[in-house]
């Protein structure tokens, strides 16, 4: 009798305990946790910036309850190659990516926003286009912290670019680094890694990144590896020398004993499309041999870069300013026109971005159309447009195979990127055209390739955009839906996700993403941006906290 009374008291006390109250509860969700397994029904409790619990449906109580009514709930997506470094300075809302569920922008393909020297800072100020901004930082870490302090909706991080290091130490000279110069670049790499960079990058199609030898890249990659960072590269050639260029990346990864990734893996130009199968075999073979080799892609059959890459190497040497000065000489102009050999067929080159307003009438036209209008050859037109615009001119190259996109996406080691800025579809951003990948590269994984074409399952597509890149980058507590992880969360309707951006009308937001949370902040609510800017500088594995640093 006495024992029964004691038990009754315990039951009464237990029933009187206050119910745990979470800041936010996501109710009635179908959880895709990022691991690639089958989804399950559950509620998520968020406290502050953290996923506090994942529990059975109906078990949680929150100050704010968001009933997602059976929609998919996944970790926020990671953009492995973002060019949002300038667009975020103009508008920190990161709308074209947020509306696809992207919660982390990984920047710094071959060139990064630091470290800067005094003359590099001045060059950055002088070369600004439609977007004007101050440059109060000198180092890469200072730039990323500046973004956080200014206010951004997505998280941000970056590789340190070998092109930036070369520009800092050597300038635009096409020559090997001296021992002293290499040591200085290694010191700058170590500094960037300790400030929070996620690795070292190269972009070997462009000056001055392209002037680095394999041996130089190995030495810089070793420094990254010592800080548990990656080596990631726009390899030297994605067309005729694709396989040799891939061999170089694998060799660098092996010799530096570092994880290595291919930026936007592709076989460019129709006569090279068959090389993709061999490229995939090479990566699989390296992985089977114990090397950690991965790749990322954007989900379109067209690339986008400068029109200037069609020029002979001698014409491009020394960077854009030197190129423009060289081509202004009539003899050099004539020589460049005579020696120009198109890497991409002229009829596949779509003009999308000019620096000067008077040439923007050609946006949306193909190069041969403009040549015909001007009464010139395509070679003359290319050179003269570059000189008149005083820029490299942004273009789209229709150079890839749709079938190859599916082959790449089917590989378990491929993650996703946009290779673009993150824009708002108004204001300064619509003065220029862009590649639709800025508005659709991620949503196409969920809609076109998972739901509509069945290239991969939805849960595997989510893994490729979440836990896979997070693991490659060695990020702590990101990329999964799990207790104790940061509350970077996307809620979307698998039946409605769709890309709307096209090559002729790219500034159109994706559809189907309903809610986005970044570090627990509600950034996208019922499909509309709230204006919240809870994004943070996500620091890489080599970060060393210094006095006055923010954690």
């Amino acid at each position: 009798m006495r024992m029964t009374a004691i038990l009754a008291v315990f039951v009464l006390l237990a029933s009187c305990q206050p119910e745990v109250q979470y800041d936010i509860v996501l109710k009635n969700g179908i959880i895709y946790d990022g691991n690639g397994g089958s989804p399950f029904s559950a509620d998520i409790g968020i406290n502050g910036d953290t996923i506090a619990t994942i529990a059975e449906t109906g078990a949680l109580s929150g100050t704010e309850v968001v009933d997602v009514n059976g929609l998919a709930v996944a970790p926020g997506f990671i953009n492995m190659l973002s060019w949002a470094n300038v667009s975020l300075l103009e508008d920190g809302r990161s709308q074209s990516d947020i509306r696809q569920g992207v919660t982390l922008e990984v920047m710094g393909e071959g060139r990064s926003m630091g470290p800067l020297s005094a003359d590099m800072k001045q060059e950055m100020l002088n070369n600004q286009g439609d977007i004007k901004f101050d440059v109060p930082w000198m180092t890469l870490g200072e730039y990323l912290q500046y973004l956080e302090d200014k206010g951004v909706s997505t998280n941000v991080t970056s590789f340190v670019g070998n092109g930036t290091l070369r520009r800092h130490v050597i300038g635009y000279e096409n020559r090997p680094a001296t021992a002293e110069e290499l040591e200085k670049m290694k010191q700058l790499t170590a500094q960037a890694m300790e400030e929070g960079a996620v690795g070292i990058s190269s972009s070997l199609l462009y000056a001055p990144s392209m002037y680095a030898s394999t041996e130089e890249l190995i030495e810089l990659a070793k420094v990254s590896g010592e800080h548990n960072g990656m080596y990631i590269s726009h390899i030297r050639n994605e067309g005729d020398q694709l396989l040799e260029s891939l061999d170089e990346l694998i060799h660098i990864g092996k010799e530096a004993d570092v994880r290595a990734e291919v930026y936007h893996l592709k076989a460019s130009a129709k006569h090279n499309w068959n090389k993709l199968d061999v490229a995939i075999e090479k990566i699989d073979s390296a992985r089977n041999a114990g090397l950690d080799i991965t790749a990322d892609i954007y989900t379109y059959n067209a690339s986008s870069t400068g029109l200037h890459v069609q020029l002979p190497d001698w014409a491009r040497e020394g960077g854009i300013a030197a190129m423009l000065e060289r081509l202004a000489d009539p003899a050099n102009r004539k020589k460049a026109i005579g020696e120009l050999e198109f890497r991409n067929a002229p009829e596949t080159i779509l003009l999308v971005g000019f620096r000067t307003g008077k040439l923007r009438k050609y946006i949306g036209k193909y190069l041969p159309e403009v040549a015909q209008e001007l009464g010139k050859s395509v070679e003359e037109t290319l050179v003269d447009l570059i000189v008149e615009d005083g820029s490299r001119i942004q273009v789209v190259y229709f150079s890839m195979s749709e079938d190859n996109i599916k082959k790449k996406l089917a590989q378990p080691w491929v993650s996703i990127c946009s290779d673009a800025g993150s824009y708002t579809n108004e204001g300064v951003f619509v003065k220029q055209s862009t590649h639709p990948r800025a508005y659709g590269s991620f949503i196409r994984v969920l809609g076109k390739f998972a739901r509509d074409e069945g290239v991969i399952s939805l849960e595997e597509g989510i893994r490729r955009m979440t836990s896979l890149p997070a693991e490659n980058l060695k990020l702590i507590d990101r990329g999964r839906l799990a207790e104790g992880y940061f509350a970077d969360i996307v809620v979307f309707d698998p039946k409605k996700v769709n890309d709307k951006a096209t090559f002729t009308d790219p500034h159109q937001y994706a559809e189907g993403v309903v809610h986005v949370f970044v570090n627990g902040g509600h950034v996208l609510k019922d499909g509309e941006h709230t204006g919240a800017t809870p994004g943070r500088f996500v620091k890489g594995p080599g970060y060393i906290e210094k006095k006055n640093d923010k954690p």
Side-chain angles (χ1 to χ4, degrees):
M1 184 72 177
R2 190 172 182 181
M3 183 60 70
T4 301
I6 292 172
L7 286 172
V9 170
F10 275 122
V11 170
L12 180 62
L13 288 172
S15 67
C16 292
Q17 292 297 313
E19 185 178 16
V20 175
Q21 187 86 354
Y22 297 96
D23 293 340
I24 301 172
V25 169
L26 300 184
K27 180 181 176 183
N28 296 322
I30 304 300
I31 309 299
Y32 293 81
D33 63 10
N35 290 317
S38 298
F40 55 92
S41 299
D43 291 353
I44 295 178
I46 300 170
N47 277 337
D49 62 2
T50 304
I51 297 173
T53 189
I54 299 175
E56 65 181 38
T57 300
L60 304 181
S61 177
T63 303
E64 179 185 355
V65 177
V66 180
D67 191 343
V68 302
N69 291 310
L71 296 180
V73 182
F77 305 146
I78 297 173
N79 187 347
M80 277 298 295
L81 196 182
S82 168
W83 279 109
N85 42 302
V86 171
S87 59
L88 288 176
L89 290 169
E90 172 69 19
D91 186 344
R93 291 176 295 172
S94 196
Q95 294 232 53
S96 63
D97 268 358
I98 277 287
R99 289 169 181 268
Q100 295 181 78
V102 172
T103 59
L104 174 59
E105 309 280 3
V106 186
M107 300 177 280
E109 182 204 5
R111 56 185 172 91
S112 48
M113 298 297 275
L116 303 178
S117 60
D119 65 312
M120 291 171 73
K121 179 182 280 198
Q122 190 59 52
E123 184 178 58
M124 187 176 285
L125 290 167
N126 293 343
N127 291 341
Q128 291 174 13
D130 292 327
I131 297 174
K132 308 298 182 185
F133 55 93
D134 295 327
V135 186
W137 65 86
M138 293 298 287
T139 72
L140 180 56
E142 288 170 355
Y143 161 75
L144 291 164
Q145 190 59 53
Y146 176 78
L147 279 184
E148 178 182 326
D149 294 343
K150 186 175 184 292
V152 288
S153 293
T154 49
N155 294 313
V156 292
T157 194
S158 182
F159 290 92
V160 59
N162 90 300
T164 300
L165 300 176
R166 267 201 153 245
R167 170 68 182 85
H168 195 293
V169 176
I170 302 172
Y172 287 106
E173 295 179 48
N174 180 4
R175 62 171 176 80
T178 66
E180 185 178 314
E181 289 167 340
L182 180 57
E183 186 58 34
K184 177 62 176 175
M185 287 191 285
K186 290 169 69 174
Q187 291 172 4
L188 289 171
T189 302
Q191 176 187 345
M193 295 301 298
E194 291 171 6
E195 286 183 337
V198 289
I200 179 84
S201 66
S202 65
S203 191
L204 301 175
L205 180 62
Y206 309 106
S209 178
M210 65 192 299
Y211 304 144
S213 66
T214 304
E215 292 70 27
E216 179 179 313
L217 294 169
I218 289 170
E219 289 304 306
L220 297 179
K222 285 179 180 178
V223 178
S224 175
E226 289 166 3
H227 295 80
N228 204 16
M230 295 178 68
Y231 171 69
I232 189 167
S233 181
H234 178 151
I235 57 179
R236 290 189 192 273
N237 190 289
E238 298 171 321
D240 292 350
Q241 284 82 48
L242 167 64
L243 301 179
E244 295 85 349
S245 299
L246 182 57
D247 284 340
E248 181 186 35
L249 177 130
I250 293 170
H251 177 68
I252 291 169
K254 181 179 180 180
E255 292 303 310
D257 191 22
V258 68
R259 304 182 307 283
E261 178 153 319
V262 182
Y263 272 135
H264 45 58
L265 175 66
K266 67 173 74 75
S268 187
K270 189 172 184 177
H271 65 276
N272 292 312
W273 288 354
N274 63 338
K275 293 180 180 178
L276 182 69
D277 292 334
V278 182
I280 290 171
E281 289 172 5
K282 281 181 175 288
I283 294 175
D284 279 335
S285 177
R287 290 173 61 83
N288 290 336
L291 299 180
D292 200 346
I293 309 295
T294 54
D296 54 66
I297 65 169
Y298 44 82
T299 55
Y300 292 83
N301 66 343
S303 61
S304 183
T305 186
L307 185 61
H308 73 307
V309 301
Q310 305 295 329
L311 293 168
D313 287 347
W314 65 263
R316 295 191 292 130
E317 188 166 318
I320 303 298
M323 174 193 74
L324 293 170
E325 183 178 353
R326 192 173 294 120
L327 292 176
D329 181 284
N332 286 332
R333 172 188 176 275
K334 184 177 180 180
K335 183 181 179 185
I337 291 169
E339 295 182 7
L340 199 153
E341 294 182 4
F342 282 96
R343 299 168 185 256
N344 305 88
E347 63 271 15
T348 70
I349 301 175
L350 178 69
L351 304 169
V352 299
F354 291 90
R355 187 173 189 177
T356 58
K358 66 179 181 179
L359 293 180
R360 290 179 185 175
K361 62 185 178 181
Y362 298 132
I363 286 175
K365 294 185 177 183
Y366 287 86
L367 184 63
E369 292 180 74
V370 179
Q372 185 176 14
E373 188 175 325
L374 296 175
K376 298 179 179 181
S377 70
V378 288
E379 292 84 0
E380 282 183 289
T381 301
L382 185 150
V383 173
D384 289 350
L385 285 176
I386 287 172
V387 172
E388 186 175 356
D389 196 53
S391 83
R392 67 179 204 160
I393 300 179
Q394 193 72 16
V395 298
V396 166
Y397 295 109
F398 290 89
S399 60
M400 291 178 279
S401 157
E402 187 75 22
D403 287 341
N404 276 355
I405 297 173
K406 298 174 185 178
K407 286 181 182 179
K408 292 182 288 186
L409 197 54
Q411 307 310 313
W413 34 263
V414 166
S415 56
I416 308 300
C417 72
S418 71
D419 194 8
S422 187
Y423 308 129
T424 298
N425 65 356
E426 61 186 17
V428 68
F429 298 115
V430 298
K431 289 184 177 181
Q432 303 271 22
S433 188
T434 189
H435 193 301
R437 64 193 182 189
Y439 288 83
S441 196
F442 293 83
I443 212 75
R444 281 162 70 93
V445 175
L446 307 175
K448 175 180 171 63
F449 292 108
R451 181 194 61 216
D452 298 341
E453 299 183 6
V455 176
I456 52 174
S457 67
L458 181 58
E459 49 265 41
E460 176 63 7
I462 290 169
R463 184 185 74 84
R464 304 292 192 76
M465 299 188 287
T466 58
S467 66
L468 175 62
E471 288 167 1
N472 292 341
L473 294 166
K474 299 302 179 192
L475 301 181
I476 298 173
D477 297 337
R478 300 208 187 253
R480 287 184 172 85
L481 296 182
E483 292 182 9
Y485 274 58
F486 289 98
D488 298 335
I489 301 171
V490 54
V491 178
F492 65 92
D493 188 337
K495 296 178 181 179
K496 294 182 179 180
V497 284
N498 191 42
D499 62 294
K500 296 186 67 181
T502 65
F503 288 99
T504 55
D505 189 8
H507 290 290
Q508 299 187 76
Y509 295 133
E511 297 177 325
V513 174
V514 181
H515 299 283
V516 176
F517 296 84
V518 178
N519 300 310
H522 205 165
V523 174
L524 198 72
K525 184 175 183 180
D526 296 321
E528 296 300 326
H529 205 294
T530 65
T533 55
R536 296 178 185 167
F537 168 14
V538 173
K539 298 172 178 68
Y543 170 67
I544 297 176
E545 187 172 353
K546 297 179 175 64
K547 190 175 182 180
N548 299 324
D549 275 2
K550 291 190 177 182

